[in-house]
Amino acid sequence: ARGSPTLPNSTCSTFSTSIFATSSCRPPFRSSLSPLINHKITPTSSAQSRERSVIRVAIPSKGDILKATKKLLSEVGIDVQIHNPRQYVASLKGLDVEVWLQRPTDIVRKVRDGDVDLGFTGYDLVAEHGGQDSAIVNVHERLAYGECRLSVGVPMSWTDCECMADLRARSQRSELRIATKYYNESRRFLAKHGISDYHIV
């Protein structure tokens, strides 16, 4: 953020767009995308309750990641057809596959909960919202688009804070107040650097 310089060696993680699936969908991949072509899945328990047999895929509903995902699929012979831009359902030309256009964060949750079998979204969101119970299988975590980086920034007035060790020393003098959308990733990163005296707002 403006007025908040990034500390050296304070990058939590660097992420890219990823493909991930429910733990019940573990196909061999050709060009990283073959399950969309000819793989038959065993639905998860929540999907079974609706007696669903068709593969369901979620992709971002708008923006550059949608464009890049459509381009990636097109390059391997899979065309996404969006019939009505006001609706959140699309199809893959020539394939019996449902495509849901969703917000990136919702894609992770819907794959985790079994409503969707395969999702394309940022791996930062998978790491943050995917959970630790192996409900999600990461298929390809770096598709070379949608890059992002999570870093730690501090106020300009903190002239004594030049690295994570300095931030840890400051936290020992007074509790840090941290603003972030990445609660889980931030906690893991701060624990790695021995910082425990903080409050996330």
Side-chain angles (χ1 to χ4, degrees):
R2 183 177 300 173
S4 300
T6 300
L7 299 180
N9 301 318
S10 68
T11 298
C12 300
S13 301
T14 300
F15 301 106
S16 179
T17 304
S18 64
I19 308 174
F20 59 103
T22 59
S23 58
S24 63
C25 183
R26 297 172 178 268
F29 268 63
R30 185 175 77 251
S31 301
S32 299
L33 298 169
S34 66
L36 302 185
I37 300 171
N38 56 17
H39 182 69
K40 299 299 183 182
I41 66 167
T42 301
T44 59
S45 57
S46 63
Q48 285 174 336
S49 67
R50 289 184 290 277
E51 298 183 353
R52 177 168 60 83
S53 59
V54 66
I55 293 175
R56 188 175 286 165
V57 178
I59 63 176
S61 59
K62 59 184 178 180
D64 291 340
I65 295 183
L66 170 60
K67 294 177 183 178
T69 300
K70 290 176 63 179
K71 180 175 182 292
L72 172 70
L73 292 169
S74 178
E75 288 173 350
V76 295
I78 301 174
D79 292 325
V80 178
Q81 297 182 319
I82 300 176
H83 307 286
N84 185 341
R86 294 186 178 183
Q87 295 181 343
Y88 291 93
V89 178
S91 61
L92 300 181
K93 185 177 180 180
L95 300 177
D96 186 19
V97 174
E98 287 184 15
V99 179
W100 285 12
L101 304 172
Q102 300 286 303
R103 295 187 305 175
T105 302
D106 290 342
I107 292 175
V108 180
R109 296 191 177 106
K110 290 183 185 297
V111 171
R112 184 190 63 202
D113 296 341
D115 297 316
V116 169
D117 305 302
L118 197 69
F120 291 73
T121 195
Y123 189 66
D124 57 325
L125 299 175
V126 179
E128 177 66 18
H129 301 292
Q132 304 297 314
D133 57 0
S134 301
I136 288 178
V137 176
N138 190 43
V139 175
H140 197 311
E141 70 179 45
R142 191 166 292 274
L143 296 178
Y145 64 88
E147 298 282 344
C148 73
R149 185 181 68 181
L150 304 183
S151 299
V152 176
V154 298
M156 293 287 290
S157 59
W158 289 14
T159 56
D160 63 332
C161 199
E162 298 182 350
C163 62
M164 292 304 297
D166 293 339
L167 189 62
R168 181 173 64 249
R170 177 176 277 270
S171 74
Q172 292 168 349
R173 297 194 299 271
S174 63
E175 183 183 70
L176 301 175
R177 292 198 313 142
I178 299 173
T180 180
K181 293 193 300 183
Y182 293 89
Y183 177 83
N184 295 317
E185 281 294 285
S186 297
R187 288 183 61 200
R188 286 190 283 266
F189 181 74
L190 293 169
K192 177 181 175 181
H193 287 274
I195 298 175
S196 57
D197 296 321
Y198 62 88
H199 174 61
I200 293 181
V201 298

mmCIF file of all heavy atoms in Angstrom, residues 101-124:
data_model
loop_
_atom_site.group_PDB
_atom_site.id
_atom_site.type_symbol
_atom_site.label_atom_id
_atom_site.label_comp_id
_atom_site.label_asym_id
_atom_site.label_seq_id
_atom_site.Cartn_x
_atom_site.Cartn_y
_atom_site.Cartn_z
ATOM 1 N N LEU A 101 -19.518 -20.036 -13.901
ATOM 2 C CA LEU A 101 -18.731 -18.806 -13.822
ATOM 3 C C LEU A 101 -18.920 -18.239 -12.420
ATOM 4 O O LEU A 101 -20.026 -17.847 -12.051
ATOM 5 C CB LEU A 101 -19.196 -17.808 -14.881
ATOM 6 C CG LEU A 101 -19.167 -18.323 -16.321
ATOM 7 C CD1 LEU A 101 -19.824 -17.329 -17.265
ATOM 8 C CD2 LEU A 101 -17.747 -18.603 -16.761
ATOM 9 N N GLN A 102 -17.840 -18.204 -11.651
ATOM 10 C CA GLN A 102 -17.933 -17.885 -10.230
ATOM 11 C C GLN A 102 -16.882 -16.866 -9.809
ATOM 12 O O GLN A 102 -15.876 -16.662 -10.494
ATOM 13 C CB GLN A 102 -17.727 -19.158 -9.405
ATOM 14 C CG GLN A 102 -18.751 -20.246 -9.678
ATOM 15 C CD GLN A 102 -20.099 -19.942 -9.064
ATOM 16 O OE1 GLN A 102 -20.212 -19.729 -7.861
ATOM 17 N NE2 GLN A 102 -21.135 -19.928 -9.884
ATOM 18 N N ARG A 103 -17.121 -16.248 -8.660
ATOM 19 C CA ARG A 103 -16.076 -15.416 -8.059
ATOM 20 C C ARG A 103 -14.921 -16.317 -7.644
ATOM 21 O O ARG A 103 -15.143 -17.452 -7.192
ATOM 22 C CB ARG A 103 -16.609 -14.677 -6.834
ATOM 23 C CG ARG A 103 -17.693 -13.660 -7.159
ATOM 24 C CD ARG A 103 -18.043 -12.839 -5.933
ATOM 25 N NE ARG A 103 -18.420 -13.678 -4.800
ATOM 26 C CZ ARG A 103 -18.679 -13.218 -3.583
ATOM 27 N NH1 ARG A 103 -18.588 -11.917 -3.339
ATOM 28 N NH2 ARG A 103 -19.027 -14.042 -2.612
ATOM 29 N N PRO A 104 -13.670 -15.852 -7.774
ATOM 30 C CA PRO A 104 -12.512 -16.707 -7.474
ATOM 31 C C PRO A 104 -12.560 -17.373 -6.105
ATOM 32 O O PRO A 104 -12.265 -18.564 -5.976
ATOM 33 C CB PRO A 104 -11.326 -15.746 -7.602
ATOM 34 C CG PRO A 104 -11.778 -14.765 -8.639
ATOM 35 C CD PRO A 104 -13.248 -14.559 -8.365
ATOM 36 N N THR A 105 -12.937 -16.624 -5.057
ATOM 37 C CA THR A 105 -12.996 -17.216 -3.716
ATOM 38 C C THR A 105 -14.067 -18.290 -3.632
ATOM 39 O O THR A 105 -13.881 -19.333 -2.999
ATOM 40 C CB THR A 105 -13.268 -16.135 -2.657
ATOM 41 O OG1 THR A 105 -12.250 -15.134 -2.726
ATOM 42 C CG2 THR A 105 -13.271 -16.731 -1.263
ATOM 43 N N ASP A 106 -15.195 -18.063 -4.292
ATOM 44 C CA ASP A 106 -16.283 -19.041 -4.268
ATOM 45 C C ASP A 106 -15.891 -20.337 -4.976
ATOM 46 O O ASP A 106 -16.387 -21.409 -4.627
ATOM 47 C CB ASP A 106 -17.536 -18.459 -4.927
ATOM 48 C CG ASP A 106 -18.174 -17.365 -4.088
ATOM 49 O OD1 ASP A 106 -17.866 -17.291 -2.884
ATOM 50 O OD2 ASP A 106 -18.962 -16.567 -4.646
ATOM 51 N N ILE A 107 -15.016 -20.233 -5.977
ATOM 52 C CA ILE A 107 -14.569 -21.442 -6.686
ATOM 53 C C ILE A 107 -13.903 -22.406 -5.716
ATOM 54 O O ILE A 107 -14.162 -23.610 -5.724
ATOM 55 C CB ILE A 107 -13.613 -21.074 -7.837
ATOM 56 C CG1 ILE A 107 -14.382 -20.328 -8.936
ATOM 57 C CG2 ILE A 107 -12.950 -22.329 -8.420
ATOM 58 C CD1 ILE A 107 -13.506 -19.813 -10.058
ATOM 59 N N VAL A 108 -13.039 -21.884 -4.860
ATOM 60 C CA VAL A 108 -12.349 -22.741 -3.886
ATOM 61 C C VAL A 108 -13.358 -23.428 -2.978
ATOM 62 O O VAL A 108 -13.293 -24.649 -2.755
ATOM 63 C CB VAL A 108 -11.359 -21.914 -3.035
ATOM 64 C CG1 VAL A 108 -10.649 -22.814 -2.035
ATOM 65 C CG2 VAL A 108 -10.344 -21.215 -3.923
ATOM 66 N N ARG A 109 -14.283 -22.688 -2.449
ATOM 67 C CA ARG A 109 -15.262 -23.248 -1.513
ATOM 68 C C ARG A 109 -16.141 -24.292 -2.189
ATOM 69 O O ARG A 109 -16.479 -25.317 -1.592
ATOM 70 C CB ARG A 109 -16.125 -22.127 -0.928
ATOM 71 C CG ARG A 109 -15.327 -21.124 -0.083
ATOM 72 C CD ARG A 109 -16.263 -20.203 0.682
ATOM 73 N NE ARG A 109 -15.511 -19.288 1.533
ATOM 74 C CZ ARG A 109 -15.350 -17.988 1.275
ATOM 75 N NH1 ARG A 109 -15.883 -17.472 0.188
ATOM 76 N NH2 ARG A 109 -14.661 -17.216 2.094
ATOM 77 N N LYS A 110 -16.549 -24.039 -3.433
ATOM 78 C CA LYS A 110 -17.431 -24.979 -4.118
ATOM 79 C C LYS A 110 -16.716 -26.276 -4.476
ATOM 80 O O LYS A 110 -17.321 -27.356 -4.447
ATOM 81 C CB LYS A 110 -18.037 -24.307 -5.357
ATOM 82 C CG LYS A 110 -19.053 -23.226 -5.010
ATOM 83 C CD LYS A 110 -19.686 -22.616 -6.239
ATOM 84 C CE LYS A 110 -20.596 -21.445 -5.848
ATOM 85 N NZ LYS A 110 -21.715 -21.859 -5.003
ATOM 86 N N VAL A 111 -15.418 -26.194 -4.808
ATOM 87 C CA VAL A 111 -14.656 -27.423 -5.036
ATOM 88 C C VAL A 111 -14.474 -28.166 -3.719
ATOM 89 O O VAL A 111 -14.658 -29.382 -3.642
ATOM 90 C CB VAL A 111 -13.292 -27.117 -5.687
ATOM 91 C CG1 VAL A 111 -12.419 -28.370 -5.729
ATOM 92 C CG2 VAL A 111 -13.480 -26.579 -7.100
ATOM 93 N N ARG A 112 -14.120 -27.442 -2.671
ATOM 94 C CA ARG A 112 -13.910 -28.057 -1.354
ATOM 95 C C ARG A 112 -15.165 -28.767 -0.863
ATOM 96 O O ARG A 112 -15.098 -29.855 -0.278
ATOM 97 C CB ARG A 112 -13.492 -26.984 -0.357
ATOM 98 C CG ARG A 112 -13.140 -27.492 1.038
ATOM 99 C CD ARG A 112 -12.992 -26.334 1.991
ATOM 100 N NE ARG A 112 -14.261 -25.613 2.136
ATOM 101 C CZ ARG A 112 -14.347 -24.358 2.554
ATOM 102 N NH1 ARG A 112 -13.250 -23.672 2.849
ATOM 103 N NH2 ARG A 112 -15.528 -23.777 2.672
ATOM 104 N N ASP A 113 -16.334 -28.158 -1.114
ATOM 105 C CA ASP A 113 -17.590 -28.717 -0.621
ATOM 106 C C ASP A 113 -18.202 -29.750 -1.553
ATOM 107 O O ASP A 113 -19.233 -30.351 -1.234
ATOM 108 C CB ASP A 113 -18.609 -27.597 -0.381
ATOM 109 C CG ASP A 113 -18.158 -26.635 0.721
ATOM 110 O OD1 ASP A 113 -17.280 -27.024 1.525
ATOM 111 O OD2 ASP A 113 -18.671 -25.502 0.766
ATOM 112 N N GLY A 114 -17.589 -29.973 -2.727
ATOM 113 C CA GLY A 114 -18.078 -30.994 -3.639
ATOM 114 C C GLY A 114 -19.149 -30.542 -4.608
ATOM 115 O O GLY A 114 -19.685 -31.352 -5.357
ATOM 116 N N ASP A 115 -19.483 -29.234 -4.618
ATOM 117 C CA ASP A 115 -20.471 -28.736 -5.573
ATOM 118 C C ASP A 115 -19.891 -28.675 -6.981
ATOM 119 O O ASP A 115 -20.633 -28.717 -7.967
ATOM 120 C CB ASP A 115 -20.952 -27.342 -5.159
ATOM 121 C CG ASP A 115 -21.675 -27.360 -3.821
ATOM 122 O OD1 ASP A 115 -22.503 -28.268 -3.616
ATOM 123 O OD2 ASP A 115 -21.407 -26.498 -2.984
ATOM 124 N N VAL A 116 -18.570 -28.527 -7.059
ATOM 125 C CA VAL A 116 -17.859 -28.453 -8.332
ATOM 126 C C VAL A 116 -16.705 -29.442 -8.267
ATOM 127 O O VAL A 116 -16.104 -29.649 -7.207
ATOM 128 C CB VAL A 116 -17.342 -27.013 -8.574
ATOM 129 C CG1 VAL A 116 -16.379 -26.964 -9.742
ATOM 130 C CG2 VAL A 116 -18.508 -26.069 -8.817
ATOM 131 N N ASP A 117 -16.379 -30.070 -9.402
ATOM 132 C CA ASP A 117 -15.344 -31.105 -9.421
ATOM 133 C C ASP A 117 -13.958 -30.566 -9.744
ATOM 134 O O ASP A 117 -12.954 -31.103 -9.273
ATOM 135 C CB ASP A 117 -15.718 -32.179 -10.453
ATOM 136 C CG ASP A 117 -17.102 -32.741 -10.194
ATOM 137 O OD1 ASP A 117 -17.314 -33.261 -9.078
ATOM 138 O OD2 ASP A 117 -17.967 -32.640 -11.074
ATOM 139 N N LEU A 118 -13.893 -29.531 -10.563
ATOM 140 C CA LEU A 118 -12.610 -29.006 -11.013
ATOM 141 C C LEU A 118 -12.690 -27.494 -11.059
ATOM 142 O O LEU A 118 -13.697 -26.941 -11.523
ATOM 143 C CB LEU A 118 -12.280 -29.558 -12.407
ATOM 144 C CG LEU A 118 -10.847 -29.474 -12.910
ATOM 145 C CD1 LEU A 118 -9.945 -30.415 -12.121
ATOM 146 C CD2 LEU A 118 -10.798 -29.823 -14.398
ATOM 147 N N GLY A 119 -11.669 -26.791 -10.557
ATOM 148 C CA GLY A 119 -11.716 -25.339 -10.523
ATOM 149 C C GLY A 119 -10.433 -24.702 -11.015
ATOM 150 O O GLY A 119 -9.349 -25.266 -10.860
ATOM 151 N N PHE A 120 -10.570 -23.522 -11.606
ATOM 152 C CA PHE A 120 -9.434 -22.699 -12.026
ATOM 153 C C PHE A 120 -9.504 -21.405 -11.225
ATOM 154 O O PHE A 120 -10.462 -20.642 -11.366
ATOM 155 C CB PHE A 120 -9.530 -22.341 -13.511
ATOM 156 C CG PHE A 120 -9.339 -23.492 -14.457
ATOM 157 C CD1 PHE A 120 -10.319 -24.453 -14.614
ATOM 158 C CD2 PHE A 120 -8.174 -23.599 -15.207
ATOM 159 C CE1 PHE A 120 -10.157 -25.505 -15.499
ATOM 160 C CE2 PHE A 120 -7.997 -24.655 -16.097
ATOM 161 C CZ PHE A 120 -8.994 -25.612 -16.247
ATOM 162 N N THR A 121 -8.508 -21.147 -10.404
ATOM 163 C CA THR A 121 -8.465 -19.882 -9.674
ATOM 164 C C THR A 121 -7.067 -19.697 -9.108
ATOM 165 O O THR A 121 -6.209 -20.562 -9.258
ATOM 166 C CB THR A 121 -9.529 -19.832 -8.558
ATOM 167 O OG1 THR A 121 -9.679 -18.486 -8.107
ATOM 168 C CG2 THR A 121 -9.164 -20.715 -7.383
ATOM 169 N N GLY A 122 -6.826 -18.562 -8.457
ATOM 170 C CA GLY A 122 -5.498 -18.290 -7.918
ATOM 171 C C GLY A 122 -5.116 -19.252 -6.802
ATOM 172 O O GLY A 122 -5.938 -19.549 -5.931
ATOM 173 N N TYR A 123 -3.872 -19.709 -6.825
ATOM 174 C CA TYR A 123 -3.434 -20.639 -5.788
ATOM 175 C C TYR A 123 -3.355 -19.954 -4.422
ATOM 176 O O TYR A 123 -3.409 -20.621 -3.385
ATOM 177 C CB TYR A 123 -2.078 -21.255 -6.149
ATOM 178 C CG TYR A 123 -1.692 -22.372 -5.208
ATOM 179 C CD1 TYR A 123 -2.433 -23.552 -5.180
ATOM 180 C CD2 TYR A 123 -0.623 -22.246 -4.332
ATOM 181 C CE1 TYR A 123 -2.116 -24.573 -4.312
ATOM 182 C CE2 TYR A 123 -0.290 -23.264 -3.458
ATOM 183 C CZ TYR A 123 -1.032 -24.416 -3.455
ATOM 184 O OH TYR A 123 -0.716 -25.434 -2.588
ATOM 185 N N ASP A 124 -3.255 -18.614 -4.414
ATOM 186 C CA ASP A 124 -3.312 -17.903 -3.132
ATOM 187 C C ASP A 124 -4.629 -18.175 -2.424
ATOM 188 O O ASP A 124 -4.669 -18.365 -1.210
ATOM 189 C CB ASP A 124 -3.108 -16.397 -3.336
ATOM 190 C CG ASP A 124 -4.118 -15.790 -4.303
ATOM 191 O OD1 ASP A 124 -4.511 -16.475 -5.274
ATOM 192 O OD2 ASP A 124 -4.498 -14.623 -4.105
#
